[in-house]
Amino acid sequence: MSIQTRLIFFAVWDNIQLQYAAIIRAQNLMYVRDQEDKTIEKVGSSTGKVSSQTWEVQQAWDTLSIPLE
């Protein structure tokens, strides 16, 4: 096997490994237990005379679609 062929092989193998890692990460991000699963996350707050908090709620279908965008 020539050096050029080995370099191409290792470049392809590196890309395969990166894609595999991306698939595993996407599966973790997109996991939902069931249709009723939702994620509630605090995204902001402010204080002053009146305090307020901002929350983001993601339903199961949101969780599945966002990483794919």
Side-chain angles (χ1 to χ4, degrees):
M1 197 184 281
S2 71
I3 293 175
Q4 183 66 24
T5 305
R6 284 182 180 219
L7 291 176
I8 292 171
F9 172 78
F10 286 118
V12 170
W13 181 245
D14 286 344
N15 283 330
I16 290 170
Q17 289 179 316
L18 286 172
Q19 290 299 317
Y20 182 74
I23 290 168
I24 298 301
R25 181 176 181 270
Q27 286 177 334
N28 289 333
L29 289 174
M30 294 174 24
Y31 175 76
V32 293
R33 285 187 307 271
D34 57 23
Q35 186 176 358
E36 301 302 318
D37 188 16
K38 65 179 142 185
T39 303
I40 302 172
E41 188 175 323
K42 185 177 179 181
V43 293
S45 63
S46 64
T47 57
K49 289 185 178 184
V50 177
S51 296
S52 68
Q53 296 177 343
T54 306
W55 297 85
E56 184 176 286
V57 178
Q58 290 182 334
Q59 301 294 333
W61 55 86
D62 292 332
T63 304
L64 288 173
S65 67
I66 289 173
L68 300 176
E69 292 177 350

